[in-house]
Amino acid sequence: MPSCARRKTRSVLVGSLEIGGSAPVSIQTMTKVPAEDVAGTLAQIREAADAGCDLVRCAVPSLTAIPAFA
């Protein structure tokens, strides 16, 4: 497998998870249900965590979706 030059990046913390820099690659995914569907969103987050996902991203597309994340 050929190697390629990587540019240096800085790391950032998402909670206690370090991403970028010299940190190991993190497994990430994103939910696929409307943010207002709290039960569906939580089910997807649990499923991803059980599968070994390090980070689950959730889109909040509108102001009406914000209370679901309280």
Side-chain angles (χ1 to χ4, degrees):
M1 182 158 133
S3 64
C4 60
R6 293 184 56 151
R7 68 184 172 103
K8 292 187 177 188
T9 60
R10 63 185 174 108
S11 63
V12 295
L13 288 177
V14 178
S16 62
L17 179 65
E18 184 179 7
I19 298 175
S22 61
V25 173
S26 301
I27 307 300
Q28 303 179 38
T29 191
M30 190 160 184
T31 59
K32 298 176 186 171
V33 297
E36 293 88 348
D37 180 1
V38 176
T41 299
L42 289 175
Q44 280 195 351
I45 292 170
R46 285 188 189 105
E47 184 178 329
D50 291 345
C53 199
D54 298 309
L55 178 69
V56 179
R57 295 175 285 129
C58 302
V60 184
S62 67
L63 293 176
T64 59
I66 291 173
F69 286 89

